[in-house]
């Protein structure tokens, strides 16, 4: 009986204006999926559909995962049989957002750009518009906002503000608009929690607005990161040790490479005048949320005012927001780099590769748990699991080991590794890994072996040293 009441309640939602169906588009995307486990192979082409919303300046807002790595894009309006060729103009993988443009501006005839509303709260009614699988026409799903809080986005693993709703968001809905009763966008359909009943998430308008402000200069700079590892303070002894006299502040336990203003053992007290509680939250228009929101509302290069407790003294300073890349990155819309030497394959260690060899991922992740960049180490290199068998490499097997040295010289990054391999002037090369595996090859034989390998395994080349960006 309770379920029936809920259905009746959601059906009776009224709108101040008709649903903006002509402003919601269907997106047809031909995607080239990079193969990180076998990077020398041709990328697989797959076809997907998603949704988008027409906003100001003839822009179509959608999800990054709908159009990332697309080779060919088309868009279509409700009740219009014609498909129009489109292209990706801007993309933020961090926030899972993208802007699509259509060269033929007649596509926008009869449409109205949607506006945004960031003034929302739990229990507000919403309607999700899009083109999920199972039909050709637009679908409307009604529900309410359940929560507004920080989560890790599925597409990027980025920790950003999100809206949880009880409306069903199915495959094909991604990129569609969730609107309020006035027809304004409150969020963009992003993901659904699996094995649950109607728990879905939206990218909120406040994050979308930061993205739209970012692209005003014609490029995507991204969302800022402070490079801090923090501990919540829940123990009175910790408060006494650092001289805290209230329930405010979080402990900074690690400062990433390149960050100058913060120090380990600082207690972060305030950002832009907002007091930070011991659990890292601040008061906001959405209730208590993670204090990082204050930075995510601003652009790279802008500043925030910070107050910390350092050596039991309060210190105030201005911090310039920047974007920091971790030691192990996740790549998007790029063909992976690699080099084959003596039938052994090597590649930069990325989250993409870790995902591709999931059976070995835990061991690799433990090696780099909480490790960051240094002046002498900016990118790990992996000896890939797959070997091209040849007499030059007989007896070797790889478990996806991390390269540490080449002839005793520590590896800084992938380019450094390739440079060392290409300029070997010794009879033998000794490659050692963090897992204490050791490779010894005859240099002349290893270099000459690629002629055989190319013929036997139908390889086009022994390397891809630069990112090959996947574009239309």
């Amino acid at each position: 009986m309770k379920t029936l009441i809920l259905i009746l309640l959601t059906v009776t939602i009224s709108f101040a204006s008709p649903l903006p169906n002509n402003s919601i588009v269907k997106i047809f995307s031909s995607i080239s999926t990079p193969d990180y486990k076998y990077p020398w192979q041709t990328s697989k082409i797959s076809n997907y559909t998603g949704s988008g919303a027409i906003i100001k300046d003839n822009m179509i807002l959608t999800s990054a995962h709908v159009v990332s790595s697309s080779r060919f894009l088309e868009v279509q309006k409700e009740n219009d049989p014609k498909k129009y060729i489109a292209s990706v103009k801007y993309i933020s993988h961090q926030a899972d957002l993208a802007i699509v443009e259509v060269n033929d501006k007649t596509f926008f005839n009869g449409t109205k750009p949607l506006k945004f509303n960031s003034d929302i709260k739990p229990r507000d009614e919403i309607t999700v518009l899009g083109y999920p699988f199972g039909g050709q026409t637009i679908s409307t799903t009604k529900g309410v906002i359940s929560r507004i809080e920080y989560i890790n986005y599925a597409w990027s693993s980025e920790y950003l503000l999100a809206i949880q709703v009880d409306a069903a968001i199915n495959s094909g809905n991604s990129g569609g608009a969730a609107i309020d009763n006035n027809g304004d966008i409150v969020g963009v359909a992003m993901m659904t929690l699996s094995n649950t009943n109607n728990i879905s998430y939206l990218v909120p308008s406040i994050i979308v607005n930061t993205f739209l402000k970012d692209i005003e200069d014609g490029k995507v700079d991204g969302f800022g990161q402070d490079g801090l590892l923090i501990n919540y303070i829940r123990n009175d002894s910790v408060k006494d040790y650092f001289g805290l006299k209230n329930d405010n502040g979080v402990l900074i336990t690690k400062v990433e490479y390149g960050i100058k203003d913060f120090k380990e053992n600082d207690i972060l007290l305030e950002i832009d005048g907002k007091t930070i509680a011991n659990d890292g939250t601040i008061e906001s228009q959405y209730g208590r949320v993670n204090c990082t929101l204050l930075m995510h509302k601003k652009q790279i290069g802008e500043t925030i005012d910070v107050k910390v407790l350092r050596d039991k003294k309060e210190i105030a300073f201005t911090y310039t927001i920047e974007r920091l890349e971790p030691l192990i990155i996740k790549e998007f819309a790029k063909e992976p780099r690699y080099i084959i030497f003596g039938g052994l394959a090597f590649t930069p260690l990325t989250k993409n590769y870790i995902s591709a060899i999931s059976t070995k991922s835990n061991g690799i992740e433990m090696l780099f748990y909480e490790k960051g960049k240094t002046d002498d180490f900016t990118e790990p290199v992996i000896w890939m699991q797959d070997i091209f068998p040849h007499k030059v490499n007989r007896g070797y097997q790889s478990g996806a080991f991390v390269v540490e040295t080449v002839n005793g010289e520590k590896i800084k990054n992938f380019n450094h590794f390739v440079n060392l391999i290409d300029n070997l002037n010794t009879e033998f090369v000794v490659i050692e890994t963090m897992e204490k595996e050791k490779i010894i090859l005859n240099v002349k034989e290893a270099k000459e072996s690629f002629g055989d390998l190319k013929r036997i395994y139908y390889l086009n080349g022994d390397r891809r040293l630069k990112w090959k960006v996947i574009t239309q």
Side-chain angles (χ1 to χ4, degrees):
M1 187 64 185
K2 288 182 179 179
T3 302
L4 289 174
I5 292 172
L6 285 173
I7 292 172
L8 289 171
L9 285 172
T10 55
V11 168
T12 57
I13 294 174
S14 59
F15 285 82
S17 57
L19 289 174
N21 289 0
N22 282 346
S23 299
I24 306 300
V25 306
K26 188 171 185 178
I27 298 174
F28 301 83
S29 188
S30 295
I31 302 292
S32 176
T33 307
D35 191 334
Y36 276 80
K37 191 172 183 180
Y38 309 108
W40 44 85
Q41 293 186 355
T42 303
S43 298
K44 178 183 177 182
I45 302 295
S46 304
N47 296 313
Y48 298 96
T49 62
S51 306
I54 297 173
I55 60 172
K56 64 178 183 178
D57 300 328
N58 288 339
M59 294 191 294
I60 298 173
L61 176 67
T62 187
S63 297
H65 71 264
V66 171
V67 297
S68 179
S69 302
S70 61
R71 298 287 191 177
F72 185 68
L73 277 183
E74 292 178 298
V75 294
Q76 186 180 33
K77 293 183 293 185
E78 173 79 344
N79 296 321
D80 185 350
K82 182 178 179 180
K83 294 180 181 178
Y84 292 75
I85 295 175
S87 59
V88 179
K89 181 71 172 177
Y90 302 105
I91 192 164
S92 170
H93 294 288
Q94 276 181 283
D96 197 3
L97 294 170
I99 294 295
V100 170
E101 63 177 359
V102 182
N103 288 335
D104 186 349
K105 302 308 178 188
T106 62
F107 172 80
F108 297 98
N109 292 345
T111 67
K112 181 180 179 182
L114 299 183
K115 298 178 181 179
F116 295 92
N117 174 26
S118 299
D119 186 16
I120 55 173
K121 61 185 182 301
R123 306 309 304 168
D124 280 356
E125 299 165 341
I126 56 99
T127 299
V128 180
L129 304 174
Y131 294 87
F133 290 159
Q136 300 299 317
T137 58
I138 197 168
S139 169
T140 62
T141 306
K142 302 177 189 296
V144 298
I145 294 173
S146 306
R147 296 188 182 107
I148 306 170
E149 60 186 10
Y150 265 68
I151 66 168
N152 291 105
Y153 284 19
W155 177 244
S156 64
S157 301
E158 200 80 16
Y159 195 54
L160 290 169
L161 191 69
I163 300 171
Q164 180 184 318
V165 297
D166 68 355
I169 298 178
N170 300 311
S171 296
N173 257 132
S174 290
I179 61 172
D180 60 18
N181 292 347
N182 293 318
D184 295 331
I185 298 174
V186 300
V188 176
M190 170 177 52
M191 64 187 194
T192 296
L193 197 60
S194 60
N195 300 320
T196 61
N197 191 14
N198 291 352
I199 297 180
S200 303
Y201 293 91
L202 314 173
V203 181
S205 288
I206 193 168
I207 296 297
V208 177
N209 287 333
T210 302
F211 168 61
L212 295 177
K213 179 71 174 176
D214 180 13
I215 64 176
E216 286 180 358
D217 62 356
K219 59 186 177 70
V220 178
D221 294 312
F223 289 75
Q225 291 182 322
D226 53 26
L228 307 177
L229 185 65
I230 64 169
N231 280 4
Y232 300 148
I233 301 176
R234 297 189 173 105
N235 186 283
D236 288 339
S237 295
V238 177
K239 295 177 184 179
D240 294 341
Y241 180 83
F242 287 103
L244 278 175
K245 298 178 181 178
N246 51 40
D247 293 328
N248 299 328
V250 290
L251 173 63
I252 298 174
T253 58
K254 183 179 179 181
V255 180
E256 288 289 351
Y257 170 76
I259 298 296
K260 300 176 182 178
D261 298 306
F262 294 96
K263 294 184 178 181
E264 288 186 16
N265 292 326
D266 280 350
I267 305 294
L268 183 57
L269 299 174
E270 292 182 9
I271 297 177
D272 281 346
K274 288 275 190 179
T275 301
I276 301 172
N278 289 157
D279 64 354
T281 63
I282 56 165
E283 282 287 354
S284 78
Q285 65 194 87
Y286 309 116
R288 297 208 70 87
V289 298
N290 191 280
C291 62
T292 314
L293 177 63
L294 297 170
M295 182 170 61
H296 289 160
K297 291 164 64 176
K298 294 190 175 185
Q299 302 296 312
I300 300 292
E302 293 184 346
T303 60
I304 51 176
D305 294 325
V306 176
K307 184 182 288 186
V308 301
L309 186 68
R310 182 178 297 165
D311 299 327
K312 299 184 178 181
K313 296 179 182 178
E314 289 191 2
I315 297 174
F317 57 86
T318 299
Y319 174 74
T320 301
I321 299 171
E322 54 187 317
R323 168 68 177 161
L324 299 172
E325 290 289 358
L327 179 63
I328 301 175
I329 64 172
K330 183 174 182 179
E331 296 178 346
F332 298 94
K334 294 174 180 176
E335 295 284 2
R337 297 164 288 161
Y338 70 92
I339 184 172
I340 298 170
F341 176 70
L344 309 181
F346 303 86
T347 188
L349 179 57
T350 61
K351 291 180 180 178
N352 311 70
Y353 184 71
I354 291 174
S355 177
I357 58 159
S358 56
T359 55
K360 182 65 165 44
S361 61
N362 289 339
I364 295 174
E365 288 173 343
M366 286 302 297
L367 277 175
F368 292 97
Y369 180 70
E370 297 302 346
K371 286 188 178 181
K373 292 181 179 180
T374 66
D375 286 332
D376 298 319
F377 189 46
T378 58
E379 183 181 51
V381 175
I382 199 89
W383 172 22
M384 301 177 75
Q385 281 183 320
D386 291 277
I387 290 175
F388 297 94
H390 186 274
K391 63 181 181 181
V392 75
N393 59 42
R394 288 177 65 193
Y396 287 118
Q397 290 182 326
S398 176
F401 300 124
V402 180
V403 177
E404 187 168 32
T405 63
V406 173
N407 283 348
E409 185 168 345
K410 286 200 170 184
I411 300 302
K412 298 178 181 179
N413 50 49
F414 182 65
N415 286 343
H416 180 225
F417 173 78
V418 172
N419 186 59
L420 290 176
I421 293 297
D422 283 347
N423 291 284
L424 290 169
N425 56 9
T426 54
E427 182 178 0
F428 295 97
V429 60
V430 180
I431 301 173
E432 297 183 80
T433 74
M434 288 186 176
E435 298 86 352
K436 304 307 176 185
E437 297 289 328
K438 186 174 290 191
I439 306 166
I440 301 175
L441 296 175
N442 180 290
V443 173
K444 184 174 184 294
E445 291 177 357
K447 288 184 176 181
E448 292 176 349
S449 67
F450 188 72
D452 289 341
L453 297 172
K454 184 176 182 179
R455 174 180 51 81
I456 297 169
Y457 298 103
Y458 302 101
L459 297 171
N460 291 322
D462 68 338
R463 65 187 65 194
R464 183 188 297 119
L465 302 185
K466 294 183 179 180
W467 280 302
K468 183 179 179 182
V469 180
I470 299 173
T471 57
Q472 294 166 246

